[in-house]
Amino acid sequence: MSGQDALFEYLLRLGDNTLILGHRLSEWCGHSPALEEDLALSNVALDLIGQTQLWLNLAGEIEGKGRDADKLAYLRDARDFRNLLLVEQPNGDFAATMARQFYFDAWHYLLLRELTGAKDGRIAEIAAKGLKEVTYHLERSRDWVLRLGDGTEESHRRMQAAVDDLWMYTGEMFESDEVDEAMMRDCIGPDLSSLREPWLGLMRATADEATLTLPQPGWAQRGGKRGMHSEHLGYILADLQFLQRAYPNATW
Amino acid sequence: MYAQMVKTGVDHIQSKEEMSPEERAFQDRVDQDIKIEPKEWMPEAYRKTLIRQISQHAHSEIIGMQPEGNWITRAPTLERKAILLAKVQDEAGHGLYLYCAAETLGVSRDELMEQLNSGKAKYSSIFNYPTLTWADIGAIGWLVDGAAIMNQVPLQRCSYGPYSRAMIRICKEESFHQRQGYDAMTKLARGTPEQKQMAQDALNRWWWPSLMMFGPSDAESVHSAQSMRWKIKINSNDELRQKFVDQTVPQAEYLGLTVPDPDLKWNAERGHYDFGEVNWDEFYQVIAGNGPCNRDRLRTRVKAYEEGRWVRDAADAYAAKKAARTKAKAA
């Protein structure tokens, strides 16, 4: 794999993560537990959509085939998507959404912090912008894990179930493959396994404070980064891409 | 409007002689355009009418999130998606400002939500129509927000301080929404034949319900007269409707779209458009709960509220525990 090809793949991973998670969060708008949460969840979704535009436009530029962020988001099929399995999992209840968010935010924060030092200035710049937003996302999702974990009996039970349920999708975040290795060689991205300890540290501290029990390391579901997804992604794309597919070549 | 046919509880307009000294002093302040603030004395009917009007407006913002929210995940580009999400988010924000304004009158947000969920409180008839295609999102921004602005701009000057200030904030955002809606419609009207047809179909379906938003003629209504005396209603329904038609018809022409009214004609003598009669039977049916989406809208709202209860309870419980711990530490 050439450096350019690896970079394109890497940018797709970054952009697809934010695209799909932003989509999931936007599903909450108008249905959340309180008006304040409609506002807050939409804010996070809007940040992620904005990051998607930056990552995928840059991916299109690197690829050099005339595809922009919209073409990449709306005209690829599921097998060409590179997001983590975690972010495509359904919203479930509010606890499941917050567990998914906390797992992702903590990793996203650590990753972007590394990417701000990327040798490629374009990547460092997007990462720096994203890091500001994600710092707040992490604060917020951590706060909800605490509130729900140490709230009522019901919220504790739901939060523990969510933490247990989504745990198997977190392993994939720390596994490097040839794309990640190419990024390490080119001084762009970090060794993903190096993010595991700081991530686990934050998980342990938060679980303690939230009176939750962190699951034992176990089997990790993997495949999203290589285009092997869960069945959920197809339905997300059916929603997301409907108009672009039904009316090809129209502008909106 | 977002608040339609608000009852005042009065059966005639009092003359100054009939008023108590307090009532007279209050009316004098209103007449002099001095804002009424929450802690000041106000007639009970004024307070109750305002609660009804402001909460109806707030409920409309909250229910109004649904028809547009219906297209957030299907918006055709990342930019349109971000714009639409931000717009629906603004509506949640407007709901919040308005519930806060209503709370200054001595009613809680929970009570108001309860009234909405039980079907006791009303919201604007317009949100009981379905959004069937993407063009409906453009049409709502252009027509529905356009109609809302007609009413809300004058309400920035209304007599009740907190409501007036909420309106000032809301109007800034609404005019942005209206421009975005018109921009989305323009793209469709200038697009492929299918897109143009989609735009025309949306105009056909949203035109009359938009005119209904202003409510039936209230020239004879004692409630409207009272509300105008209190300066919590500034223009009559017919005045606003005419203003809306006059503003919107040229915009439709510019887009190359046809307003679905065979009686629509420029009247040079009046300097206004003449237009056909609104189907008020349909309006009263929708108000009575028989619009195409009334049941779905309310069920969706109740479901979100009920399913969110354990989350709100948890947040309260956590806050209480935290406060107790801080207190224990300090002791």
Side-chain angles (χ1 to χ4, degrees):
Chain A
M1 188 178 283
S2 79
Q4 287 296 93
D5 287 350
L7 181 55
F8 174 65
E9 279 285 315
Y10 196 70
L11 291 167
L12 286 185
R13 291 175 180 182
L14 290 165
D16 288 347
N17 279 336
T18 52
L19 172 65
I20 300 302
L21 187 57
H23 182 97
R24 279 296 191 215
L25 290 178
S26 76
E27 292 173 354
W28 272 106
C29 186
H31 306 277
S32 74
L35 279 177
E36 286 82 352
E37 277 311 298
D38 280 321
L39 293 172
L41 288 166
S42 300
N43 263 339
V44 178
L46 282 166
D47 286 344
L48 293 175
I49 295 167
Q51 292 174 22
T52 303
Q53 288 173 302
L54 297 172
W55 290 128
L56 292 186
N57 274 328
L58 182 56
E61 215 175 285
I62 299 292
E63 186 195 34
K65 290 183 183 164
R67 292 202 282 184
D68 61 8
D70 280 338
K71 284 215 166 66
L72 287 167
Y74 289 87
L75 298 174
R76 278 177 298 152
D77 202 348
R79 296 283 278 114
D80 294 324
F81 270 76
R82 298 290 182 254
N83 58 280
L84 298 163
L85 295 174
L86 176 68
V87 298
E88 69 197 39
Q89 297 311 306
N91 286 340
D93 64 7
F94 196 71
T97 290
M98 283 305 145
R100 183 184 66 197
Q101 196 66 32
F102 181 50
Y103 286 161
F104 180 77
D105 288 343
W107 175 81
H108 201 199
Y109 172 84
L110 293 167
L111 176 65
L112 290 179
R113 206 172 59 176
E114 294 295 322
L115 290 178
T116 56
K119 212 178 69 185
D120 187 321
R122 297 168 298 184
I123 290 173
E125 202 179 309
I126 299 174
K129 183 184 177 292
L131 186 63
K132 277 191 208 137
E133 298 167 344
V134 171
T135 304
Y136 161 74
H137 301 174
L138 176 58
E139 215 178 282
R140 218 186 82 78
S141 58
R142 182 174 184 276
D143 200 42
W144 269 115
V145 171
L146 296 178
R147 286 160 135 185
L148 297 179
D150 192 19
T152 62
E153 212 171 297
E154 179 179 10
S155 73
H156 176 85
R157 176 176 54 74
R158 286 175 182 263
M159 195 67 233
Q160 184 64 56
V163 162
D164 293 344
D165 227 36
L166 290 166
W167 186 252
M168 69 174 175
Y169 299 108
T170 58
E172 188 182 29
M173 302 194 289
F174 306 103
E175 292 176 358
S176 291
D177 62 7
E178 70 276 13
V179 172
D180 300 297
E181 278 154 20
M183 291 303 105
M184 281 163 64
R185 268 198 310 278
D186 293 344
C187 302
I188 288 174
D191 175 357
L192 289 177
S193 65
S194 73
L195 305 182
R196 188 192 295 270
E197 267 316 306
W199 184 85
L200 269 174
L202 183 60
M203 292 301 125
R204 284 192 204 105
T206 307
D208 276 355
E209 199 181 332
T211 70
L212 295 165
T213 312
L214 220 52
Q216 291 303 310
W219 173 252
Q221 292 292 344
R222 51 178 72 84
K225 288 164 68 168
R226 290 177 294 107
M228 290 290 286
H229 292 276
S230 62
E231 290 177 349
H232 303 298
L233 184 65
Y235 292 95
I236 293 179
L237 299 185
D239 236 13
L240 178 78
Q241 299 180 340
F242 158 66
L243 282 167
Q244 290 280 357
R245 301 290 191 180
Y247 301 92
N249 302 319
T251 55
W252 305 90
Chain B
M1 209 24 36
Y2 277 17
Q4 293 159 328
M5 302 199 302
V6 179
K7 295 227 164 48
T8 55
V10 305
D11 53 10
H12 78 290
I13 305 294
Q14 280 186 321
S15 68
K16 285 249 164 124
E17 290 70 44
E18 287 174 273
M19 290 179 182
S20 68
E22 272 171 325
E23 286 171 333
R24 210 171 305 136
F26 172 85
Q27 188 61 50
D28 284 344
R29 287 172 73 82
V30 171
D31 291 344
Q32 289 164 42
D33 287 327
I34 299 171
K35 294 274 180 264
I36 307 299
E37 295 299 335
K39 294 222 157 68
E40 293 170 33
W41 186 89
M42 61 186 80
E44 192 54 17
Y46 174 85
R47 196 181 67 82
K48 281 195 172 144
T49 305
L50 264 178
I51 290 177
R52 233 174 267 138
Q53 180 171 337
I54 298 173
S55 64
Q56 230 189 77
H57 188 164
H59 297 331
S60 299
E61 297 281 358
I62 301 311
I63 297 289
M65 294 169 73
Q66 290 182 41
E68 292 178 277
N70 185 34
W71 280 88
I72 290 172
T73 58
R74 290 178 291 170
T77 66
L78 292 171
E79 197 190 347
R80 290 279 172 213
K81 188 187 174 80
I83 291 170
L84 180 58
L85 182 55
K87 183 183 173 201
V88 180
Q89 184 192 35
D90 281 348
E91 282 153 15
H94 296 174
L96 262 185
Y97 308 156
L98 289 162
Y99 285 126
C100 289
E103 281 182 324
T104 64
L105 293 159
V107 60
S108 73
R109 201 210 300 185
D110 281 345
E111 283 172 70
L112 295 174
M113 286 269 177
E114 217 48 68
Q115 289 173 7
L116 173 64
N117 290 349
S118 67
K120 194 179 145 213
K122 299 281 180 230
Y123 56 86
S124 177
S125 55
I126 193 79
F127 300 118
N128 291 311
Y129 291 86
T131 49
L132 302 179
T133 71
W134 170 252
D136 292 25
I137 298 307
I140 288 181
W142 172 34
L143 301 173
V144 175
D145 291 315
I149 291 168
M150 287 287 153
N151 188 48
Q152 290 170 7
V153 165
L155 279 177
Q156 295 178 100
R157 293 182 280 116
C158 80
S159 62
Y160 189 57
Y163 193 26
S164 156
R165 291 188 286 274
M167 276 306 150
I168 291 168
R169 288 179 73 177
I170 288 173
C171 280
K172 276 190 201 142
E173 292 171 353
E174 291 286 6
S175 65
F176 173 71
H177 296 169
Q178 204 243 352
R179 278 203 301 279
Q180 288 298 337
Y182 192 68
D183 177 66
M185 279 308 257
T186 309
K187 269 272 163 51
L188 296 174
R190 307 262 153 84
T192 65
E194 289 94 340
Q195 283 177 302
K196 184 163 183 187
Q197 204 213 326
M198 198 190 275
Q200 180 64 54
D201 172 59
L203 174 57
N204 292 348
R205 284 181 290 108
W206 289 94
W207 176 255
W208 291 107
S210 297
L211 295 193
M212 288 175 203
M213 283 175 70
F214 298 95
S217 179
D218 58 356
E220 309 287 317
S221 160
V222 66
H223 299 299
S224 289
Q226 180 62 69
S227 288
M228 286 166 100
R229 182 101 181 260
W230 281 332
K231 293 192 185 164
I232 55 176
K233 182 180 172 77
I234 313 291
N235 305 93
S236 78
N237 294 349
D238 287 329
E239 274 169 8
L240 290 170
R241 187 169 15 250
Q242 181 71 59
K243 212 172 154 197
F244 174 74
V245 171
D246 290 345
Q247 175 187 290
T248 311
V249 170
Q251 293 172 345
E253 281 169 1
Y254 182 76
L255 293 177
L257 300 176
T258 309
V259 174
D261 178 359
D263 297 324
L264 186 76
K265 214 172 76 203
W266 176 251
N267 183 328
E269 210 173 296
R270 288 201 310 126
H272 292 292
Y273 282 93
D274 291 336
F275 55 96
E277 187 57 30
V278 174
N279 180 352
W280 292 111
D281 288 343
E282 177 180 319
F283 173 78
Y284 286 114
Q285 284 295 334
V286 174
I287 290 284
N290 299 323
C293 299
N294 294 58
R295 291 212 306 189
D296 289 339
R297 298 286 184 252
L298 206 56
R299 280 176 188 169
T300 301
R301 180 90 297 274
V302 170
K303 186 167 179 272
Y305 192 75
E306 290 305 326
E307 286 180 359
R309 191 180 294 279
W310 70 269
V311 179
R312 297 190 299 273
D313 288 348
D316 289 345
Y318 180 75
K321 280 187 204 178
K322 219 176 159 182
R325 274 176 217 145
T326 316
K327 209 173 152 194
K329 228 184 239 172

